[in-house]
Amino acid sequence: MPLDVMVDTIPFNKPFLTGDELIYLQQALSQNHLSGNGPLTKQCQRLMETMISAHKVLLTHSATAALEMSGLVMGLKPGDEVIMPSFTFVSTASAFLMSGAVPVFVDIRPDTLNLDETKIEAAITERTRAIVVVHYAGVSCEMKRIQELANQHGLRIIEDAAHSFGSRYQGRALGTWGDLGIYSFHETKNIIAGEGGALIINHPHWLQSAEIIWEKGTNRAQFFRGEVDKYTWVRPGSSYLPSELTAAVLFAQLQKSDLILQSRLQVWNEYHRAFEPLEQQGLITRPTIPDQCEHNGHLYYILTHSPAVQKGLIAFLKAHHIHALFHYAPLHLSAAGKKYCKAPVPLPYTEALSEQLIRLPFWTGMPADVIHQVVHQVGRYFSDSP
């Protein structure tokens, strides 16, 4: 069949199943514990702690929940400021509004689309309490420099590593560089549970507070360890635990995470090789992976050179049954961003690149011929354009 003949729609994402999910779902159903913090939850947490060398991992029902917990664990108060990129999902900012904190937006780097570490210091004020980094597409921010800035100014670091399970910076897992980190296991991520997330606790002194918040504001975890004779309400908290059914799906995924990572990197590398000629012609820009970063093949994007090309190419691909997407609309330009957050200086790269980026179809096990179908149609768009 010629490459320009399309029969089936190429979706943006296909959730990948290992084949063992039903085994662990049946295990959860048979052990008469379907609510949170059961045996499979504990197995997932222990396995992740080993895999990423974290002090403690707590599963949550979403990455948004883990982000909300991080603000509560750090004791953020109304008027406190947290520095973060505007180029991110809304949860990165809205989670800290729940604590009354004010997101302060900083521009991104044009190469990795990550928080620009050279812009952070100018945004620090007497109200600043934390830096929230977002590792875009599973590629690390410059964590060494950001750690130095945090230490110099007495700030905490929270890692929004929603994209980044399996990624590393200088050999160390993302999510473990900050005081706290978060992962997402939404069905669009590499490792999935349908919905789900995790809070990574990297220092022992955060653990007790995190457990209490996680358990609806009670010291129930201490009770089950025999540290208190009964549990009681200690402080404000909420219901952040996922069910055992969520943990069952996640446990199957975690056990095959190396194979999933390998498959996704093969897809990413195939895209990257195939798009090299278009980049050499000056038609697109491919992603940049700094030498010290080991990414996880979370997604593949291309940067066009204008908003008009972005819109035109997405429409062209849709007409040829290929589901490609833009990504984040800058938060500082949104209604809520203008009302609740701060952008003390212009953010030119955030605004420009958000109107140039296109995310392409990507899933675990994506066949090479489908990848090349996508690449072929992108090339056709440019060759057919006047």
Side-chain angles (χ1 to χ4, degrees), residues 1-8 369 373:
M1 180 183 297
L3 278 173
D4 59 351
V5 175
M6 298 293 298
V7 177
D8 298 320
D369 63 327
Q373 185 74 269

Side-chain angles (χ1 to χ4, degrees), residues 358-372:
I358 300 176
R359 291 180 294 158
L360 298 171
F362 197 116
W363 61 84
T364 302
M366 187 176 181
D369 63 327
V370 177
I371 296 169
H372 287 280

Side-chain angles (χ1 to χ4, degrees), residues 265-283:
L265 287 171
Q266 288 174 349
V267 174
W268 194 97
N269 289 332
E270 191 66 27
Y271 262 133
H272 205 59
R273 284 192 295 268
F275 274 120
E276 186 175 6
L278 287 182
E279 184 175 54
Q280 290 175 341
Q281 294 171 52
L283 298 172

Side-chain angles (χ1 to χ4, degrees), residues 13 22 34 38 47 54 151 155 218 223 233 316 323 326 330:
N13 176 62
L22 286 175
L34 299 183
L47 180 55
N151 291 336
L155 305 177
T218 73
F223 169 71
W233 186 25
F316 179 87
H323 192 195
F326 61 90

Side-chain angles (χ1 to χ4, degrees), residues 336-347:
K338 293 175 181 178
K339 183 174 182 180
Y340 300 114
C341 309
K342 294 181 180 180
V345 297
L347 308 178

Side-chain angles (χ1 to χ4, degrees), residues 284-297:
I284 65 166
T285 300
R286 297 181 299 165
T288 297
I289 312 296
D291 290 341
Q292 64 271 33
C293 299
E294 300 171 47
H295 73 105
N296 61 353

